[in-house]
């Protein structure tokens, strides 16, 4: 079993900052890719940012220059630093980890429970 615990969401005014965290525990051999997704009401879930085990990052165009993803492999934690927040960033944010439970097992995706981020204008 793998557990993901997200934290750091909340209510912030436009222009403010928040830092999300997602910590993994349980039966994990390796975590290949760690990512953050978000889903606003009435919209599809979308990729916000991702980071590979080697540190390569990928960002949605809408957050480039404002958000920074990072990971602590020893702590099995991924972070999302969100600066210059806008009302359109309001959504439920989910972390997703692509991981292996054992060296010989197939990689699979595990999702966090989601954390609400609300940006007021």
């Amino acid at each position: 079993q793998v557990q993901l615990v997200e934290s750091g969401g909340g209510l912030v005014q436009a222009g403010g900052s928040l830092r999300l965290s997602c910590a993994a525990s349980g039966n994990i051999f390796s975590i290949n890719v760690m990512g953050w997704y978000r889903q606003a009401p009435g919209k599809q879930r979308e990729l916000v940012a991702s980071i590979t085990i080697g540190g390569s990052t990928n960002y949605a165009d809408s957050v480039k220059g404002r958000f920074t993803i990072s990971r602590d492999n020893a702590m099995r934690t991924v972070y999302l630093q969100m600066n210059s927040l806008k009302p359109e960033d309001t959504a439920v944010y989910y972390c997703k980890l692509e991981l292996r439970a054992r060296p010989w097992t197939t990689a699979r995706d595990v999702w966090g429970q989601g954390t609400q981020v609300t940006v007021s204008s």
Side-chain angles (χ1 to χ4, degrees), residues 13-18 65-67 82-87 89 119:
Q13 288 188 333
S17 298
L18 285 173
R66 299 188 297 123
F67 291 10
M82 304 185 293
N83 298 329
S84 302
L85 282 160
K86 304 175 180 180
D89 294 319
V119 183

Side-chain angles (χ1 to χ4, degrees), residues 20-107:
L20 305 182
S21 300
C22 174
S25 62
N27 192 17
I28 300 171
F29 169 73
S30 66
I31 303 174
N32 303 327
V33 182
M34 309 177 92
W36 288 96
Y37 291 71
R38 67 186 181 187
Q39 187 166 20
K43 295 188 177 181
Q44 289 189 329
R45 192 172 297 188
E46 62 175 358
L47 173 68
V48 176
S50 63
I51 183 168
T52 68
I53 193 170
S56 296
T57 58
N58 181 45
Y59 294 93
D61 288 342
S62 59
V63 307
K64 283 181 181 176
R66 299 188 297 123
F67 291 10
T68 302
I69 190 170
S70 61
R71 62 189 283 172
D72 183 330
N73 291 324
M75 298 299 293
R76 296 174 172 176
T77 300
V78 60
Y79 305 96
L80 185 68
Q81 178 66 43
M82 304 185 293
N83 298 329
S84 302
L85 282 160
K86 304 175 180 180
E88 51 263 44
D89 294 319
T90 295
V92 178
Y93 284 70
Y94 300 88
C95 64
K96 188 187 82 169
L97 275 55
E98 180 190 289
L99 58 85
R100 294 178 188 273
R102 292 288 183 268
W104 56 86
T105 57
T106 303

